[in-house]
Amino acid sequence: MNDTVAGCNAQPFLEGWFTLDAERPQLLGNRCVACGTVYFPKLKSGYCRNPDCDGERFEETPLSRSGALWSYSNAAYQPPEPYAQVDKDAFRPFAIAAVELDKEKMIVLGAVVAGVGVEQLKVGMTMELKLGALADGKLTWMWAPAGAQA
Amino acid sequence: MSTTRDIAILGAGMHPWGKWGRNFVEYGVVAARAALADAGVPWRDVQFVSGAATIRNGYPGQVAGATFAQALGWQGAQVNTSYAACASGSQALAAARAKILAGECEVALVIGSDTTPKGFLKPQPGDRPDDPDWVRFRIGITNPTYFALYARRRMAMYGDTLADFAAVKVKNAEHGLSNPNARYRKAFKADEVAASPIVADPLRLMDICATSDGAAALIVSSLAYASRIGKANAPRVAAVSTVTPSFASALVEMPDIATDSAIAAPAQSFRAALPRKAYEQAGIGPEDVSVAEVYDLSTALELDWMEDLQLCARGEAAHLLRAGETRIGGRIPVNPSGGLACFGEAVPAQALAQVCELTWQLRGQAGARQVADAKVGITANQGLFGHGSSVIVKR
C-alpha cells in the first residue's frame, strides 16, 4: 500500500472532510464566528454546541496540520465493515494516533501511515497529517511522525 | 441532603451471566422473581415496573418495562422503559426513585436483561457519513481502540505498566471466583494475561471485557413501606447521578473521532463529573466509601475510574493497586463482584448488577467476597452518546 498516493483517480472516502493536497493535506472543519469554537467533523446543525454561545454563523476552516501525539494504539485484528476488507491473511496491523492540535485545542483520531508501527511512536512527539489509501483505494487522512519519509 | 431523599432496596436478584442463547425475557423473569423473593414482597404490591431497554431484541426489548410486567402477570402496575446505553439500568432506577419520592408509588421493580449476539459488537449496515459510528469504523477505529488510547495515556503520564493492567485482571478474577452469578470463574496469573494476544496495543485480549447474556433486578420502595414490612434497616439508594457531559469534552469518547474544541470553554472530564454529582446528592464524600463497583470495560479503565471516583489522587490508582488496597481486605476494595472482567457486559443489566452487588455487600451477604463492615458503596459506568451513571448505596 502506498500511503501518500493522491493520484488523479484517487477519491476521498468522504467529500469535503479534508483537502487532497498530496504533500500538505488538511482536515476541513468549521468555526463558530461568535465564539471561535472549531468543529471537526463540520457542525451541520447550524447552532453552536458551546452552551454559552448562541452562534449560528460558521465558516469553513482548515485545521492545523500537526500536533502532539496524545496517545496511540493499533488495530491488531482487521476491524469489521464498513472498514474496507482484505483477506484475513493479507491484513496488516496498523497503528492509530490521537493527536492534540494546539491552536484548535482538540484531539483528532486517525490511522497512522503504513510502515509506522506503535514501536516507533511516543506520546508527545510531533505528528503531521498525510493522506493514505484504504483497502478499497479510497483516500483518508492519516497521521505520520513529523518529517518521516513516507 | 436529608434522608427523605433516600429509597430502600428491599430485594436484589440476578440471572447468572453467560452466553446462554435464550430469550432475554426468560432471564429477566428469573432475576425479577429472585428479587421479589429476596424482598419478601408479593408481586401484586409492585406498583411500578421500570425496565432498562435492550436494543438487540426487537420490539419487546424496546418496551422492556411492559414486557416484564406482562411476563410476570399483568396486575395494573404502571410501566416505564429507559434507554441510556450502559447507564440504562441506572436511568431506570432513577425513574423508580423519582416516582417513589414524588409519592406516586411505594414499591417498584427495576429490571434489565439482555441476550447478546456472538462476536464483536458491529455497526449497523449501510453508508451513513453523518453517523460518527460509521465514520470511525470506516477508518478502522473499533471499541477497544478507545480503551487502548486511555491505557497508553496512563502509561505515558503516570508510569503505569502492562503488569499493572494485568494485576487488575488477576485481582478481579480472584474476586469473582466464588460469585455464582459471574460468567468467568477462573483464576488468572499475570503471565497468562501477558501471553494473551494483543487486540489494541497496549491491551491484550484478557484486558478487555466480553459481552454476555444476563439479567439483574431490584425491588425498591419508600422508607415508609420498608418500615411497615419490618425492613427499616434495608440498604438505601442515596444518590443516582445520570448527568450528561459538559462542553468541551476532555477525552475522545466512543464513537467520536475528535474531542470538542476547548477554545471557548474549558475541557472537562465526563467520567469525573458522574460521581461528583452522586457525592453531592448523597451528602457523602469519597472518604466515606467502603467499596466500589466500577465499569472495567478494560483493566486500565478501572484505574481511571478510581481516580474519577476520587478514591485517590489523579495518577495514583496503580499505587493503591500495587499495595493491595483495592483487593478485598484492602482499604478500598474495587469490584468485589469480579467486575466486567468476570461478568462480561450485558448492557441493560450491568448497572443494576453493580447495585445488586453493593446491596449484598452492605447486608453482609456476599460470602467469600464480603468486604468487612461495608457501609457505603458507589458504582460508576459510562456508555455511548453522553450516557453514564454513578449510584451511591448506604446503610
Side-chain angles (χ1 to χ4, degrees), chain B residues 290-321:
Chain B
S290 11
V291 52
E293 281 282 316
V294 306
Y295 229 60
D296 54 322
L297 292 165
S298 81
T299 50
L301 195 60
E302 175 171 308
L303 302 174
D304 282 327
W305 276 123
M306 287 167 57
E307 295 159 10
D308 294 321
L309 289 171
Q310 303 169 47
L311 302 178
C312 59
R314 190 64 64 187
E316 288 181 3
H319 302 187
L320 254 67
L321 172 77

Short mmCIF file of all heavy atoms in Angstrom, two decimals, chain B residues 290-321:
data_model
loop_
_atom_site.label_atom_id
_atom_site.label_comp_id
_atom_site.label_asym_id
_atom_site.label_seq_id
_atom_site.Cartn_x
_atom_site.Cartn_y
_atom_site.Cartn_z
N SER B 290 -16.75 2.61 51.32
CA SER B 290 -16.08 1.37 51.74
C SER B 290 -15.85 0.40 50.60
O SER B 290 -15.03 -0.51 50.72
CB SER B 290 -16.86 0.66 52.85
OG SER B 290 -18.14 1.17 53.07
N VAL B 291 -16.62 0.53 49.51
CA VAL B 291 -16.49 -0.42 48.41
C VAL B 291 -17.00 0.23 47.12
O VAL B 291 -17.93 1.03 47.15
CB VAL B 291 -17.27 -1.73 48.74
CG1 VAL B 291 -18.71 -1.46 49.14
CG2 VAL B 291 -17.24 -2.72 47.58
N ALA B 292 -16.38 -0.12 45.99
CA ALA B 292 -16.79 0.47 44.71
C ALA B 292 -16.93 -0.61 43.65
O ALA B 292 -16.14 -1.56 43.61
CB ALA B 292 -15.75 1.50 44.25
N GLU B 293 -17.95 -0.46 42.83
CA GLU B 293 -18.14 -1.32 41.65
C GLU B 293 -18.03 -0.41 40.44
O GLU B 293 -18.87 0.48 40.25
CB GLU B 293 -19.52 -1.98 41.69
CG GLU B 293 -19.61 -3.17 42.61
CD GLU B 293 -19.01 -4.44 42.00
OE1 GLU B 293 -19.26 -4.73 40.81
OE2 GLU B 293 -18.28 -5.14 42.72
N VAL B 294 -16.99 -0.59 39.64
CA VAL B 294 -16.77 0.31 38.50
C VAL B 294 -16.74 -0.47 37.19
O VAL B 294 -16.50 -1.67 37.18
CB VAL B 294 -15.46 1.12 38.66
CG1 VAL B 294 -15.45 1.87 39.99
CG2 VAL B 294 -14.23 0.24 38.53
N TYR B 295 -16.97 0.26 36.11
CA TYR B 295 -17.12 -0.34 34.79
C TYR B 295 -15.77 -0.63 34.16
O TYR B 295 -15.23 0.19 33.41
CB TYR B 295 -17.93 0.63 33.92
CG TYR B 295 -19.09 0.00 33.19
CD1 TYR B 295 -20.11 -0.62 33.89
CD2 TYR B 295 -19.16 0.03 31.79
CE1 TYR B 295 -21.19 -1.19 33.21
CE2 TYR B 295 -20.23 -0.54 31.12
CZ TYR B 295 -21.24 -1.15 31.84
OH TYR B 295 -22.30 -1.71 31.18
N ASP B 296 -15.24 -1.83 34.42
CA ASP B 296 -13.92 -2.17 33.89
C ASP B 296 -14.05 -2.79 32.50
O ASP B 296 -13.75 -3.95 32.29
CB ASP B 296 -13.18 -3.13 34.84
CG ASP B 296 -13.98 -4.38 35.18
OD1 ASP B 296 -15.21 -4.28 35.34
OD2 ASP B 296 -13.39 -5.47 35.26
N LEU B 297 -14.49 -1.97 31.55
CA LEU B 297 -14.52 -2.41 30.15
C LEU B 297 -13.12 -2.86 29.74
O LEU B 297 -12.96 -3.76 28.93
CB LEU B 297 -15.01 -1.29 29.24
CG LEU B 297 -16.48 -0.90 29.41
CD1 LEU B 297 -16.76 0.43 28.74
CD2 LEU B 297 -17.41 -1.97 28.88
N SER B 298 -12.12 -2.21 30.32
CA SER B 298 -10.74 -2.70 30.20
C SER B 298 -10.12 -2.63 31.59
O SER B 298 -10.60 -1.92 32.47
CB SER B 298 -9.93 -1.84 29.23
OG SER B 298 -9.46 -0.67 29.88
N THR B 299 -9.05 -3.39 31.75
CA THR B 299 -8.34 -3.37 33.04
C THR B 299 -7.87 -1.96 33.40
O THR B 299 -8.06 -1.51 34.53
CB THR B 299 -7.11 -4.29 32.97
OG1 THR B 299 -6.37 -3.97 31.78
CG2 THR B 299 -7.52 -5.76 32.92
N ALA B 300 -7.29 -1.28 32.41
CA ALA B 300 -6.73 0.05 32.68
C ALA B 300 -7.82 1.05 33.06
O ALA B 300 -7.60 1.97 33.86
CB ALA B 300 -5.97 0.56 31.45
N LEU B 301 -9.01 0.83 32.50
CA LEU B 301 -10.11 1.76 32.78
C LEU B 301 -10.51 1.72 34.26
O LEU B 301 -10.97 2.72 34.81
CB LEU B 301 -11.31 1.43 31.88
CG LEU B 301 -12.40 2.49 31.76
CD1 LEU B 301 -11.85 3.79 31.21
CD2 LEU B 301 -13.54 1.99 30.88
N GLU B 302 -10.34 0.58 34.90
CA GLU B 302 -10.63 0.52 36.35
C GLU B 302 -9.77 1.53 37.10
O GLU B 302 -10.24 2.16 38.05
CB GLU B 302 -10.38 -0.90 36.89
CG GLU B 302 -10.56 -0.98 38.40
CD GLU B 302 -10.54 -2.39 38.96
OE1 GLU B 302 -11.31 -3.24 38.45
OE2 GLU B 302 -9.79 -2.64 39.91
N LEU B 303 -8.54 1.69 36.67
CA LEU B 303 -7.64 2.64 37.35
C LEU B 303 -8.10 4.08 37.11
O LEU B 303 -8.07 4.91 38.03
CB LEU B 303 -6.20 2.43 36.85
CG LEU B 303 -5.66 1.00 37.07
CD1 LEU B 303 -4.29 0.85 36.42
CD2 LEU B 303 -5.59 0.67 38.56
N ASP B 304 -8.56 4.36 35.89
CA ASP B 304 -9.12 5.70 35.62
C ASP B 304 -10.31 5.97 36.53
O ASP B 304 -10.42 7.05 37.12
CB ASP B 304 -9.58 5.80 34.15
CG ASP B 304 -8.43 6.01 33.18
OD1 ASP B 304 -7.45 6.67 33.55
OD2 ASP B 304 -8.52 5.52 32.04
N TRP B 305 -11.19 4.99 36.64
CA TRP B 305 -12.39 5.17 37.46
C TRP B 305 -12.05 5.46 38.92
O TRP B 305 -12.71 6.27 39.58
CB TRP B 305 -13.30 3.92 37.40
CG TRP B 305 -14.21 3.87 36.22
CD1 TRP B 305 -14.26 2.87 35.29
CD2 TRP B 305 -15.24 4.80 35.87
NE1 TRP B 305 -15.26 3.13 34.36
CE2 TRP B 305 -15.87 4.30 34.70
CE3 TRP B 305 -15.70 6.00 36.41
CZ2 TRP B 305 -16.93 4.97 34.07
CZ3 TRP B 305 -16.75 6.67 35.79
CH2 TRP B 305 -17.34 6.16 34.64
N MET B 306 -11.04 4.78 39.46
CA MET B 306 -10.68 5.00 40.86
C MET B 306 -10.35 6.47 41.11
O MET B 306 -10.69 7.02 42.15
CB MET B 306 -9.48 4.12 41.23
CG MET B 306 -9.83 2.65 41.35
SD MET B 306 -8.34 1.62 41.40
CE MET B 306 -7.50 2.34 42.82
N GLU B 307 -9.69 7.07 40.11
CA GLU B 307 -9.33 8.48 40.24
C GLU B 307 -10.54 9.38 40.01
O GLU B 307 -10.72 10.39 40.69
CB GLU B 307 -8.19 8.80 39.27
CG GLU B 307 -6.92 8.04 39.66
CD GLU B 307 -5.92 7.89 38.52
OE1 GLU B 307 -6.10 8.51 37.46
OE2 GLU B 307 -4.94 7.13 38.73
N ASP B 308 -11.40 8.99 39.06
CA ASP B 308 -12.61 9.77 38.82
C ASP B 308 -13.53 9.75 40.05
O ASP B 308 -14.23 10.72 40.33
CB ASP B 308 -13.36 9.21 37.61
CG ASP B 308 -12.58 9.40 36.32
OD1 ASP B 308 -11.95 10.47 36.17
OD2 ASP B 308 -12.59 8.49 35.48
N LEU B 309 -13.52 8.62 40.78
CA LEU B 309 -14.32 8.50 42.00
C LEU B 309 -13.65 9.19 43.18
O LEU B 309 -14.19 9.19 44.29
CB LEU B 309 -14.55 7.02 42.34
CG LEU B 309 -15.49 6.24 41.41
CD1 LEU B 309 -15.44 4.74 41.72
CD2 LEU B 309 -16.92 6.75 41.54
N GLN B 310 -12.46 9.75 42.93
CA GLN B 310 -11.68 10.44 43.97
C GLN B 310 -11.28 9.51 45.11
O GLN B 310 -11.14 9.93 46.26
CB GLN B 310 -12.44 11.64 44.51
CG GLN B 310 -12.84 12.66 43.45
CD GLN B 310 -13.81 13.70 43.98
OE1 GLN B 310 -13.60 14.27 45.05
NE2 GLN B 310 -14.87 13.95 43.25
N LEU B 311 -11.11 8.22 44.80
CA LEU B 311 -10.65 7.28 45.82
C LEU B 311 -9.15 7.46 46.05
O LEU B 311 -8.59 6.99 47.03
CB LEU B 311 -10.95 5.83 45.39
CG LEU B 311 -12.44 5.55 45.12
CD1 LEU B 311 -12.63 4.11 44.65
CD2 LEU B 311 -13.29 5.83 46.37
N CYS B 312 -8.50 8.14 45.09
CA CYS B 312 -7.10 8.53 45.24
C CYS B 312 -6.87 9.71 44.31
O CYS B 312 -7.73 10.04 43.51
CB CYS B 312 -6.17 7.37 44.88
SG CYS B 312 -6.39 6.76 43.20
N ALA B 313 -5.69 10.31 44.44
CA ALA B 313 -5.37 11.46 43.58
C ALA B 313 -5.13 10.96 42.15
O ALA B 313 -4.83 9.79 41.93
CB ALA B 313 -4.13 12.17 44.10
N ARG B 314 -5.28 11.88 41.20
CA ARG B 314 -5.06 11.56 39.79
C ARG B 314 -3.66 10.99 39.60
O ARG B 314 -2.67 11.56 40.09
CB ARG B 314 -5.25 12.86 38.99
CG ARG B 314 -5.30 12.73 37.48
CD ARG B 314 -6.45 11.92 36.92
NE ARG B 314 -7.78 12.49 37.17
CZ ARG B 314 -8.91 11.81 36.86
NH1 ARG B 314 -8.87 10.61 36.32
NH2 ARG B 314 -10.07 12.35 37.11
N GLY B 315 -3.58 9.86 38.96
CA GLY B 315 -2.28 9.25 38.69
C GLY B 315 -1.82 8.25 39.74
O GLY B 315 -0.79 7.61 39.57
N GLU B 316 -2.59 8.11 40.82
CA GLU B 316 -2.11 7.26 41.91
C GLU B 316 -2.83 5.92 42.04
O GLU B 316 -2.58 5.15 42.98
CB GLU B 316 -2.19 8.03 43.24
CG GLU B 316 -1.13 9.12 43.30
CD GLU B 316 -1.14 9.90 44.59
OE1 GLU B 316 -1.94 9.58 45.49
OE2 GLU B 316 -0.34 10.85 44.69
N ALA B 317 -3.73 5.63 41.11
CA ALA B 317 -4.52 4.40 41.23
C ALA B 317 -3.64 3.15 41.24
O ALA B 317 -3.88 2.22 42.01
CB ALA B 317 -5.54 4.32 40.11
N ALA B 318 -2.62 3.16 40.39
CA ALA B 318 -1.76 1.96 40.32
C ALA B 318 -1.00 1.75 41.63
O ALA B 318 -0.69 0.61 41.99
CB ALA B 318 -0.79 2.07 39.14
N HIS B 319 -0.72 2.84 42.36
CA HIS B 319 -0.03 2.69 43.65
C HIS B 319 -0.92 1.92 44.62
O HIS B 319 -0.46 1.02 45.33
CB HIS B 319 0.30 4.07 44.26
CG HIS B 319 1.17 4.92 43.39
ND1 HIS B 319 1.70 6.12 43.79
CD2 HIS B 319 1.59 4.75 42.11
CE1 HIS B 319 2.40 6.67 42.81
NE2 HIS B 319 2.34 5.84 41.79
N LEU B 320 -2.22 2.27 44.63
CA LEU B 320 -3.16 1.57 45.50
C LEU B 320 -3.27 0.10 45.10
O LEU B 320 -3.30 -0.80 45.94
CB LEU B 320 -4.56 2.21 45.40
CG LEU B 320 -5.01 3.07 46.59
CD1 LEU B 320 -4.15 4.30 46.68
CD2 LEU B 320 -6.48 3.44 46.43
N LEU B 321 -3.34 -0.11 43.81
CA LEU B 321 -3.43 -1.48 43.28
C LEU B 321 -2.22 -2.30 43.72
O LEU B 321 -2.37 -3.41 44.25
CB LEU B 321 -3.51 -1.42 41.75
CG LEU B 321 -3.42 -2.74 41.00
CD1 LEU B 321 -4.75 -3.48 41.08
CD2 LEU B 321 -3.03 -2.52 39.54
#
